[in-house]
Coordinates of all heavy atoms in Angstrom, one line a residue:
M1 N 100.8 105.6 64.0 CA 101.0 105.9 62.5 C 100.1 107.1 62.1 O 99.0 107.1 62.5 CB 100.6 104.6 61.7 CG 100.9 104.7 60.3 SD 102.7 104.7 59.9 CE 103.1 102.9 60.2
I2 N 100.7 107.9 61.3 CA 99.9 109.1 60.7 C 99.7 108.9 59.3 O 100.7 108.7 58.6 CB 100.6 110.4 61.1 CG1 100.9 110.6 62.5 CG2 99.9 111.6 60.5 CD1 101.9 111.7 62.8
D3 N 98.5 108.8 58.8 CA 98.2 108.7 57.3 C 97.9 110.1 56.8 O 97.0 110.8 57.3 CB 97.1 107.8 57.1 CG 97.4 106.4 57.3 OD1 98.5 106.0 56.9 OD2 96.6 105.6 57.8
I4 N 98.5 110.5 55.8 CA 98.3 111.8 55.1 C 98.2 111.6 53.6 O 99.1 111.1 53.0 CB 99.4 112.8 55.5 CG1 99.6 113.0 56.9 CG2 99.1 114.2 54.8 CD1 100.7 113.9 57.3
K5 N 97.1 112.1 53.0 CA 97.0 112.1 51.6 C 97.6 113.4 51.1 O 97.3 114.5 51.6 CB 95.5 112.0 51.2 CG 95.0 110.6 51.4 CD 93.6 110.5 50.9 CE 93.1 109.0 51.1 NZ 91.8 108.8 51.5
V6 N 98.4 113.3 50.0 CA 99.1 114.5 49.5 C 98.8 114.6 48.0 O 99.0 113.6 47.3 CB 100.6 114.3 49.7 CG1 101.4 115.5 49.1 CG2 100.9 114.1 51.2
E7 N 98.4 115.8 47.6 CA 98.4 116.1 46.2 C 99.7 117.0 46.0 O 99.9 118.0 46.7 CB 97.2 116.9 45.8 CG 97.1 117.4 44.4 CD 95.9 118.1 44.0 OE1 94.9 118.1 44.7 OE2 96.0 118.8 43.0
T8 N 100.5 116.5 45.0 CA 101.8 117.3 44.8 C 101.6 118.5 44.0 O 100.5 118.7 43.5 CB 102.8 116.3 44.1 OG1 102.4 116.1 42.8 CG2 102.9 115.0 44.8
A9 N 102.6 119.3 43.9 CA 102.6 120.6 43.2 C 102.3 120.3 41.7 O 101.7 121.2 41.1 CB 103.9 121.3 43.3
N10 N 102.6 119.1 41.2 CA 102.3 118.9 39.8 C 100.9 118.1 39.6 O 100.7 117.6 38.5 CB 103.5 118.2 39.1 CG 103.7 116.8 39.6 OD1 102.9 116.2 40.4 ND2 104.8 116.2 39.2
G11 N 100.2 117.9 40.6 CA 98.9 117.3 40.5 C 98.9 115.8 40.8 O 97.8 115.2 40.7
S12 N 100.0 115.1 41.0 CA 99.9 113.7 41.3 C 99.6 113.5 42.8 O 99.6 114.4 43.6 CB 101.2 113.0 40.9 OG 102.3 113.6 41.7
H13 N 99.2 112.3 43.1 CA 98.7 112.0 44.5 C 99.6 110.9 45.1 O 100.0 110.0 44.4 CB 97.3 111.5 44.4 CG 96.4 112.6 44.0 ND1 96.2 113.0 42.7 CD2 95.6 113.6 44.7 CE1 95.3 114.0 42.6 NE2 95.0 114.4 43.8
L14 N 99.8 111.0 46.4 CA 100.4 109.9 47.1 C 99.8 109.9 48.5 O 99.3 110.9 49.0 CB 101.9 110.0 47.1 CG 102.6 111.1 47.9 CD1 103.9 110.7 48.5 CD2 102.8 112.3 47.0
E15 N 100.0 108.8 49.2 CA 99.6 108.6 50.6 C 100.7 108.3 51.4 O 101.5 107.3 51.1 CB 98.5 107.5 50.7 CG 97.9 107.5 52.0 CD 96.6 106.7 52.1 OE1 96.0 106.5 51.0 OE2 96.2 106.4 53.2
L16 N 101.0 109.2 52.4 CA 102.1 109.0 53.3 C 101.6 108.2 54.6 O 100.7 108.6 55.1 CB 102.8 110.2 53.7 CG 103.3 111.1 52.6 CD1 103.8 112.4 53.1 CD2 104.3 110.4 51.7
K17 N 102.5 107.3 55.0 CA 102.2 106.7 56.3 C 103.5 106.9 57.1 O 104.6 106.5 56.8 CB 102.0 105.2 56.1 CG 100.7 104.8 55.3 CD 100.4 103.3 55.3 CE 99.2 103.0 54.6 NZ 98.0 103.7 55.0
I18 N 103.3 107.7 58.2 CA 104.5 108.2 58.9 C 104.4 107.7 60.4 O 103.3 107.8 61.0 CB 104.4 109.8 59.0 CG1 104.3 110.4 57.5 CG2 105.6 110.3 59.7 CD1 103.8 111.8 57.5
D19 N 105.5 107.2 60.8 CA 105.6 106.9 62.3 C 105.5 108.2 63.0 O 106.1 109.1 62.7 CB 106.9 106.2 62.6 CG 106.9 104.7 62.1 OD1 105.9 104.1 62.0 OD2 108.0 104.2 61.7
S20 N 104.7 108.2 64.1 CA 104.5 109.4 64.9 C 105.8 109.8 65.4 O 106.5 109.0 66.1 CB 103.5 109.1 66.0 OG 103.3 110.2 66.7
D21 N 106.3 111.0 65.2 CA 107.5 111.5 65.7 C 107.3 113.0 66.0 O 107.3 113.8 65.1 CB 108.7 111.4 64.6 CG 109.9 111.9 65.1 OD1 110.0 112.6 66.2 OD2 111.0 111.7 64.4
E22 N 107.0 113.3 67.2 CA 106.6 114.7 67.5 C 107.7 115.8 67.3 O 107.4 116.9 67.4 CB 106.2 114.6 69.0 CG 105.2 113.7 69.4 CD 103.8 114.0 68.9 OE1 103.5 115.3 68.7 OE2 102.9 113.2 68.8
N23 N 108.9 115.3 67.1 CA 110.0 116.3 66.9 C 110.4 116.7 65.6 O 111.5 117.3 65.4 CB 111.2 115.8 67.8 CG 111.0 115.7 69.2 OD1 110.3 116.5 69.8 ND2 111.4 114.5 69.8
R24 N 109.6 116.3 64.6 CA 109.9 116.6 63.2 C 108.7 117.4 62.6 O 107.6 117.2 63.0 CB 110.1 115.4 62.4 CG 111.3 114.7 62.9 CD 111.5 113.4 62.1 NE 112.1 113.7 60.8 CZ 112.2 112.7 59.8 NH1 111.8 111.5 60.0 NH2 112.7 113.1 58.6
S25 N 109.0 118.3 61.7 CA 108.0 119.0 61.1 C 107.4 118.3 59.9 O 108.1 117.4 59.3 CB 108.5 120.4 60.6 OG 109.3 120.3 59.5
L26 N 106.3 118.7 59.4 CA 105.6 118.1 58.2 C 106.5 118.3 57.0 O 106.7 117.5 56.2 CB 104.2 118.6 58.0 CG 103.4 118.1 56.9 CD1 103.3 116.5 57.0 CD2 102.0 118.7 56.9
M27 N 107.1 119.5 57.0 CA 108.0 119.9 55.8 C 109.2 118.9 55.8 O 109.6 118.5 54.7 CB 108.6 121.2 56.0 CG 109.6 121.7 55.0 SD 111.3 121.2 55.4 CE 111.8 122.4 56.6
E28 N 109.8 118.5 56.9 CA 110.8 117.6 56.9 C 110.5 116.2 56.3 O 111.3 115.6 55.6 CB 111.4 117.3 58.4 CG 112.1 118.6 58.9 CD 112.5 118.3 60.3 OE1 113.6 117.9 60.6 OE2 111.8 118.7 61.2
I29 N 109.3 115.8 56.5 CA 108.8 114.6 55.9 C 108.5 114.8 54.5 O 109.0 114.0 53.6 CB 107.5 114.1 56.7 CG1 107.7 113.9 58.2 CG2 106.9 112.9 55.9 CD1 108.8 112.8 58.4
L30 N 107.8 115.9 54.1 CA 107.4 116.1 52.7 C 108.7 116.2 51.9 O 108.7 115.8 50.7 CB 106.5 117.3 52.6 CG 105.2 117.2 53.2 CD1 104.5 118.5 53.2 CD2 104.3 116.1 52.5
S31 N 109.7 116.8 52.4 CA 111.0 117.0 51.6 C 111.7 115.8 51.2 O 112.6 115.8 50.4 CB 111.9 118.0 52.4 OG 111.3 119.3 52.5
T32 N 111.4 114.7 51.9 CA 112.1 113.5 51.6 C 111.5 112.8 50.4 O 111.9 111.7 50.0 CB 112.1 112.5 52.8 OG1 110.8 112.2 53.2 CG2 112.8 113.2 54.0
H33 N 110.3 113.3 50.0 CA 109.7 112.8 48.8 C 109.8 113.7 47.6 O 109.9 114.9 47.8 CB 108.2 112.5 49.1 CG 107.9 111.4 50.2 ND1 108.1 111.8 51.5 CD2 107.7 110.2 50.1 CE1 107.9 110.7 52.2 NE2 107.6 109.7 51.4
D34 N 109.8 113.1 46.5 CA 109.9 113.9 45.2 C 108.6 114.6 44.8 O 107.9 114.1 44.0 CB 110.4 113.0 44.1 CG 110.7 113.8 42.8 OD1 111.0 115.1 43.0 OD2 110.8 113.2 41.8
I35 N 108.2 115.6 45.5 CA 106.9 116.2 45.3 C 107.0 117.7 44.9 O 106.0 118.4 44.9 CB 106.0 116.1 46.6 CG1 106.7 116.8 47.8 CG2 105.7 114.6 46.8 CD1 105.7 116.8 48.9
G36 N 108.2 118.2 44.6 CA 108.3 119.6 44.2 C 108.4 120.6 45.3 O 108.1 121.7 45.1
M37 N 108.8 120.1 46.5 CA 108.9 121.1 47.6 C 110.3 121.6 47.8 O 111.2 120.7 48.0 CB 108.3 120.5 49.0 CG 108.6 121.5 50.2 SD 107.7 120.9 51.6 CE 106.0 121.2 51.1
L38 N 110.5 122.8 47.8 CA 111.9 123.4 47.8 C 112.4 123.6 49.3 O 113.5 123.2 49.6 CB 111.9 124.7 47.1 CG 113.3 125.4 46.8 CD1 114.1 124.4 46.0 CD2 113.1 126.6 46.0
A39 N 111.5 124.2 50.1 CA 111.8 124.4 51.6 C 113.2 125.1 51.7 O 114.1 124.7 52.4 CB 111.8 123.2 52.4
A40 N 113.3 126.2 50.9 CA 114.6 126.9 50.7 C 115.2 127.5 52.0 O 116.4 127.4 52.1 CB 114.4 128.1 49.7
C41 N 114.4 127.9 53.0 CA 115.1 128.5 54.2 C 115.3 127.5 55.3 O 115.7 127.8 56.4 CB 114.2 129.6 54.7 SG 112.6 129.1 55.5
G42 N 115.0 126.2 55.0 CA 115.3 125.2 55.9 C 114.3 125.1 57.1 O 114.7 124.4 58.1
G43 N 113.2 125.8 57.1 CA 112.2 125.7 58.2 C 112.2 126.9 59.0 O 111.7 126.8 60.2
L44 N 112.6 128.1 58.6 CA 112.6 129.3 59.4 C 111.4 130.2 59.2 O 111.4 131.3 59.7 CB 113.9 130.0 59.2 CG 115.2 129.3 59.5 CD1 116.4 130.1 59.1 CD2 115.3 129.0 61.0
A45 N 110.5 129.8 58.4 CA 109.3 130.6 58.0 C 109.7 131.8 57.3 O 109.0 132.9 57.4 CB 108.5 130.9 59.3
L46 N 110.7 131.8 56.5 CA 111.2 133.0 55.8 C 111.0 132.9 54.3 O 111.2 133.9 53.6 CB 112.7 133.2 56.2 CG 113.1 133.5 57.6 CD1 114.5 133.5 57.8 CD2 112.4 134.8 58.0
C47 N 110.8 131.8 53.7 CA 110.7 131.6 52.2 C 109.4 131.3 51.7 O 109.1 131.7 50.5 CB 111.8 130.6 51.8 SG 111.3 128.9 52.2
G48 N 108.6 130.7 52.3 CA 107.2 130.4 51.8 C 107.2 129.2 50.9 O 106.2 128.8 50.3
T49 N 108.4 128.6 50.5 CA 108.4 127.5 49.5 C 107.9 126.1 50.1 O 108.1 125.1 49.4 CB 109.8 127.4 48.9 OG1 110.8 127.1 49.9 CG2 110.2 128.6 48.2
C50 N 107.5 126.1 51.3 CA 106.9 124.9 51.9 C 105.4 125.0 52.1 O 104.8 124.3 52.9 CB 107.6 124.5 53.2 SG 107.2 125.8 54.5
H51 N 104.8 125.9 51.3 CA 103.4 126.2 51.5 C 102.5 125.0 51.1 O 102.6 124.4 50.1 CB 103.1 127.4 50.5 CG 101.7 127.8 50.5 ND1 101.1 128.7 49.5 CD2 100.7 127.7 51.4 CE1 99.9 129.0 49.7 NE2 99.5 128.3 50.9
I52 N 101.6 124.7 52.0 CA 100.7 123.7 51.7 C 99.2 124.2 52.1 O 99.1 125.2 52.8 CB 100.9 122.4 52.6 CG1 100.8 122.7 54.1 CG2 102.2 121.8 52.3 CD1 100.7 121.5 55.0
M53 N 98.3 123.6 51.5 CA 96.8 123.9 51.7 C 96.1 122.6 52.3 O 96.3 121.6 51.7 CB 96.1 124.3 50.4 CG 94.7 124.8 50.6 SD 94.7 126.6 51.0 CE 95.1 127.3 49.4
F54 N 95.5 122.8 53.5 CA 94.7 121.7 54.0 C 93.4 121.6 53.3 O 92.6 122.5 53.4 CB 94.5 121.8 55.5 CG 95.7 121.3 56.3 CD1 96.8 122.2 56.6 CD2 95.8 120.0 56.7 CE1 97.9 121.7 57.4 CE2 96.9 119.5 57.4 CZ 97.9 120.4 57.7
K55 N 93.1 120.5 52.6 CA 91.8 120.2 52.0 C 90.9 119.8 53.1 O 89.7 120.0 53.1 CB 91.9 119.2 50.9 CG 92.7 119.6 49.7 CD 92.7 118.5 48.8 CE 93.3 118.8 47.4 NZ 93.4 117.6 46.5
S56 N 91.5 119.0 54.1 CA 90.8 118.6 55.3 C 91.8 118.2 56.3 O 92.9 117.9 56.1 CB 89.9 117.4 55.0 OG 90.6 116.2 54.7
G57 N 91.4 118.3 57.6 CA 92.2 117.8 58.7 C 93.1 118.8 59.3 O 93.8 118.5 60.3
G58 N 93.1 120.1 58.9 CA 93.9 121.0 59.6 C 93.3 121.8 60.7 O 93.9 122.6 61.4
D59 N 92.0 121.5 61.0 CA 91.3 122.2 61.9 C 91.7 122.1 63.4 O 91.6 123.0 64.2 CB 89.8 121.8 61.9 CG 89.2 122.1 60.5 OD1 89.7 122.9 59.8 OD2 88.1 121.5 60.3
N60 N 92.3 120.9 63.7 CA 92.7 120.6 65.1 C 94.1 121.0 65.5 O 94.6 120.8 66.6 CB 92.5 119.2 65.4 CG 91.0 118.7 65.3 OD1 90.2 119.6 65.7 ND2 90.8 117.6 64.9
L61 N 94.8 121.6 64.5 CA 96.3 121.9 64.7 C 96.3 123.2 65.5 O 95.4 124.1 65.4 CB 96.9 122.2 63.3 CG 97.0 120.9 62.4 CD1 97.6 121.3 61.1 CD2 97.8 119.8 63.1
P62 N 97.4 123.4 66.2 CA 97.7 124.7 66.8 C 97.7 125.8 65.7 O 98.1 125.6 64.6 CB 99.1 124.6 67.4 CG 99.3 123.1 67.5 CD 98.5 122.4 66.4
P63 N 97.1 127.0 66.1 CA 97.1 128.0 65.0 C 98.4 128.6 64.6 O 99.4 128.4 65.3 CB 96.2 129.2 65.8 CG 96.5 128.9 67.2 CD 96.7 127.4 67.4
P64 N 98.5 129.2 63.5 CA 99.8 129.7 63.0 C 100.3 130.8 64.0 O 99.5 131.5 64.5 CB 99.5 130.3 61.6 CG 98.1 129.9 61.3 CD 97.4 129.4 62.5
T65 N 101.6 130.9 64.0 CA 102.2 132.0 64.8 C 102.1 133.2 64.0 O 101.8 133.2 62.8 CB 103.7 131.6 65.1 OG1 104.4 131.6 63.8 CG2 103.8 130.3 65.8
K66 N 102.5 134.4 64.6 CA 102.5 135.7 64.0 C 103.5 135.7 62.8 O 103.2 136.1 61.7 CB 102.9 136.7 65.0 CG 102.6 138.1 64.7 CD 102.8 139.0 65.9 CE 103.8 140.2 65.5 NZ 104.2 140.9 66.6
D67 N 104.6 135.0 63.0 CA 105.6 134.9 61.8 C 105.1 134.1 60.7 O 105.3 134.5 59.5 CB 106.9 134.3 62.4 CG 107.7 135.3 63.3 OD1 107.4 136.5 63.3 OD2 108.6 134.8 63.9
E68 N 104.4 133.0 61.0 CA 103.9 132.2 59.9 C 102.8 132.9 59.2 O 102.7 133.0 58.0 CB 103.3 130.9 60.5 CG 102.8 129.9 59.4 CD 102.2 128.6 59.9 OE1 102.3 128.4 61.2 OE2 101.8 127.8 59.1
L69 N 101.9 133.6 59.9 CA 100.9 134.4 59.3 C 101.4 135.5 58.4 O 100.9 135.7 57.3 CB 99.9 134.9 60.4 CG 98.9 134.0 61.0 CD1 98.2 134.7 62.1 CD2 97.9 133.5 59.9
A70 N 102.5 136.2 58.9 CA 103.1 137.2 58.0 C 103.6 136.7 56.8 O 103.4 137.3 55.7 CB 104.2 137.9 58.9
M71 N 104.2 135.5 56.8 CA 104.7 134.9 55.5 C 103.6 134.5 54.6 O 103.6 134.7 53.4 CB 105.7 133.8 55.8 CG 106.2 133.0 54.6 SD 106.9 134.0 53.3 CE 108.3 134.6 54.2
L72 N 102.5 133.8 55.2 CA 101.4 133.4 54.4 C 100.7 134.5 53.7 O 100.3 134.4 52.6 CB 100.4 132.6 55.3 CG 100.9 131.2 55.8 CD1 99.9 130.7 56.8 CD2 101.0 130.3 54.7
E73 N 100.6 135.7 54.3 CA 100.0 136.8 53.7 C 100.7 137.3 52.4 O 100.1 137.9 51.6 CB 99.9 138.0 54.7 CG 98.8 137.7 55.8 CD 98.9 138.8 56.9 OE1 99.6 139.8 56.7 OE2 98.1 138.7 57.9
M74 N 101.9 136.9 52.3 CA 102.7 137.3 51.1 C 102.6 136.3 50.0 O 103.1 136.6 48.9 CB 104.2 137.6 51.5 CG 104.3 138.8 52.4 SD 106.1 139.3 52.6 CE 106.7 138.0 53.7
L75 N 102.1 135.2 50.2 CA 102.1 134.1 49.2 C 100.9 134.1 48.3 O 99.8 134.2 48.8 CB 102.1 132.7 49.9 CG 103.4 132.5 50.8 CD1 103.2 131.1 51.5 CD2 104.6 132.5 50.0
P76 N 101.2 134.0 47.0 CA 100.0 134.0 46.1 C 99.3 132.7 46.2 O 99.9 131.7 46.5 CB 100.7 134.0 44.7 CG 102.1 133.7 44.9 CD 102.5 134.0 46.4
G77 N 98.0 132.8 46.2 CA 97.2 131.6 46.3 C 97.0 131.1 47.8 O 96.3 130.1 48.0
A78 N 97.4 131.8 48.7 CA 97.2 131.4 50.2 C 95.8 131.7 50.5 O 95.2 132.7 50.0 CB 98.2 132.2 51.0
G79 N 95.2 130.9 51.4 CA 93.9 131.1 51.9 C 93.8 130.7 53.3 O 94.8 130.4 54.0
A80 N 92.6 130.6 53.8 CA 92.3 130.3 55.2 C 92.9 129.0 55.7 O 93.2 128.8 56.9 CB 90.8 130.4 55.5
N81 N 93.0 128.1 54.7 CA 93.6 126.7 55.1 C 95.1 126.5 54.8 O 95.5 125.4 54.8 CB 92.7 125.6 54.4 CG 91.3 125.7 54.9 OD1 91.0 125.9 56.1 ND2 90.3 125.5 54.0
S82 N 95.7 127.6 54.5 CA 97.1 127.5 54.1 C 98.0 127.4 55.4 O 97.6 128.0 56.4 CB 97.6 128.8 53.4 OG 97.1 128.8 52.0
R83 N 99.0 126.7 55.3 CA 100.0 126.7 56.3 C 101.4 126.5 55.7 O 101.6 126.1 54.6 CB 99.8 125.4 57.3 CG 98.5 125.4 58.0 CD 98.3 126.5 59.0 NE 99.4 126.5 60.1 CZ 99.3 126.0 61.3 NH1 98.1 125.5 61.7 NH2 100.2 126.2 62.2
L84 N 102.4 126.9 56.5 CA 103.8 126.6 56.1 C 104.1 125.3 56.8 O 104.0 125.1 57.9 CB 104.7 127.6 56.7 CG 104.6 129.1 56.2 CD1 105.6 130.0 56.9 CD2 104.7 129.2 54.7
S85 N 104.4 124.3 55.9 CA 104.5 122.9 56.5 C 105.7 122.9 57.4 O 105.8 122.0 58.3 CB 104.7 121.9 55.3 OG 105.8 122.1 54.5
C86 N 106.7 123.8 57.3 CA 107.8 123.7 58.3 C 107.4 124.2 59.6 O 108.1 123.9 60.6 CB 109.0 124.6 57.8 SG 108.6 126.4 57.8
Q87 N 106.2 124.8 59.8 CA 105.8 125.2 61.1 C 104.7 124.3 61.7 O 104.2 124.5 62.7 CB 105.1 126.6 60.9 CG 106.1 127.6 60.4 CD 107.4 127.8 61.3 OE1 107.4 128.1 62.5 NE2 108.6 127.5 60.6
V88 N 104.4 123.2 61.0 CA 103.4 122.2 61.4 C 104.2 121.0 61.9 O 104.8 120.3 61.1 CB 102.5 121.8 60.3 CG1 101.5 120.7 60.8 CG2 101.7 123.0 59.8
M89 N 104.1 120.8 63.2 CA 104.9 119.7 63.8 C 104.0 118.4 63.6 O 102.8 118.4 63.7 CB 105.2 119.9 65.2 CG 106.1 121.1 65.4 SD 107.6 121.1 64.4 CE 108.5 119.8 65.3
L90 N 104.7 117.3 63.5 CA 104.0 116.0 63.4 C 103.3 115.8 64.6 O 103.8 115.9 65.8 CB 105.0 114.9 63.1 CG 105.6 114.8 61.8 CD1 106.5 113.6 61.6 CD2 104.6 114.8 60.7
S91 N 102.0 115.3 64.5 CA 101.3 114.8 65.6 C 100.1 114.0 65.1 O 99.8 114.0 63.9 CB 100.7 116.0 66.4 OG 99.6 116.6 65.8
K92 N 99.5 113.3 66.0 CA 98.4 112.4 65.6 C 97.2 113.2 65.1 O 96.3 112.7 64.4 CB 98.0 111.5 66.8 CG 99.0 110.5 67.1 CD 98.5 109.5 68.1 CE 99.5 108.5 68.6 NZ 100.7 108.2 67.8
K93 N 97.2 114.5 65.4 CA 96.1 115.4 64.9 C 96.2 115.5 63.3 O 95.2 115.9 62.7 CB 96.2 116.8 65.5 CG 96.0 116.8 67.0 CD 96.1 118.2 67.6 CE 95.8 118.1 69.0 NZ 96.1 119.4 69.7
L94 N 97.3 115.1 62.8 CA 97.4 115.2 61.3 C 96.8 113.9 60.6 O 96.7 113.8 59.4 CB 98.9 115.3 60.9 CG 99.5 116.7 61.1 CD1 101.0 116.6 61.0 CD2 98.9 117.7 60.1
N95 N 96.5 112.9 61.5 CA 96.1 111.7 60.9 C 94.8 111.8 60.1 O 93.9 112.5 60.5 CB 95.9 110.6 62.0 CG 95.7 109.2 61.4 OD1 96.3 108.8 60.5 ND2 94.7 108.5 62.0
S96 N 94.8 111.3 58.9 CA 93.7 111.3 58.0 C 93.5 112.7 57.3 O 92.4 113.0 56.7 CB 92.3 110.9 58.6 OG 92.4 109.6 59.2
S97 N 94.5 113.5 57.4 CA 94.4 114.8 56.7 C 94.7 114.7 55.2 O 95.3 113.7 54.8 CB 95.3 115.9 57.4 OG 96.7 115.4 57.3
N98 N 94.2 115.7 54.5 CA 94.4 115.7 53.1 C 95.0 117.1 52.7 O 94.3 118.1 53.0 CB 93.0 115.5 52.5 CG 93.1 115.2 51.0 OD1 94.1 115.6 50.3 ND2 92.0 114.7 50.5
I99 N 96.2 117.1 52.1 CA 96.8 118.3 51.9 C 97.2 118.4 50.4 O 97.4 117.5 49.7 CB 98.1 118.5 52.7 CG1 99.2 117.5 52.4 CG2 97.8 118.4 54.2 CD1 100.5 117.7 53.0
K100 N 97.4 119.7 50.0 CA 97.9 120.0 48.6 C 99.2 120.8 48.8 O 99.2 121.8 49.5 CB 96.9 120.8 47.8 CG 97.4 121.2 46.5 CD 96.3 121.9 45.7 CE 96.9 122.4 44.3 NZ 97.6 121.6 43.5
V101 N 100.2 120.3 48.1 CA 101.5 121.1 48.1 C 101.3 122.2 47.1 O 101.0 121.9 45.9 CB 102.7 120.2 47.8 CG1 104.0 121.1 47.6 CG2 102.8 119.1 48.8
M102 N 101.4 123.5 47.5 CA 101.2 124.5 46.6 C 102.4 124.8 45.7 O 103.6 124.7 46.1 CB 100.9 125.8 47.4 CG 99.6 125.7 48.3 SD 98.2 125.3 47.3 CE 97.8 126.8 46.6
P103 N 102.1 125.1 44.4 CA 103.2 125.3 43.5 C 104.0 126.6 43.8 O 103.5 127.5 44.4 CB 102.5 125.4 42.1 CG 101.1 125.6 42.4 CD 100.8 125.1 43.8
I104 N 105.3 126.6 43.5 CA 106.1 127.7 43.7 C 106.1 128.5 42.4 O 106.5 128.0 41.4 CB 107.5 127.3 44.0 CG1 107.5 126.4 45.3 CG2 108.5 128.4 44.2 CD1 108.8 125.6 45.5
D105 N 105.8 129.8 42.6 CA 105.8 130.7 41.4 C 107.1 131.3 41.1 O 107.9 131.5 42.1 CB 104.7 131.8 41.5 CG 103.3 131.2 41.5 OD1 103.1 130.2 40.8 OD2 102.4 131.7 42.2
Ligands
LIG201 S1 110.9 126.1 54.6 FE1 110.9 128.2 54.3 S2 109.1 128.9 55.1 FE2 109.0 126.8 55.4

């Protein structure tokens, strides 16, 4: 089980308990909840509407790819702890992480 605390784009909070499934992205999980995530490109790292910020717990993840970094550089409000949730695959490394869904401008 993977526990993730989520602050939504409108500032509300929820805690997700996810069965470990290595073949799905974090975006795919977040999109099933009403948290204001658009994920317009469907996970191709082309739109930036799945932008999340790790408040904690992102340190052990594989680093962003060149394509993910290129998209993040174009997003307002992006920082060192930003990720595209469509590029973050579910793993136990996400357990106990705390993320914020970034608003779409
Ligand atoms: S869904 Fe478009 S960049 Fe992640």
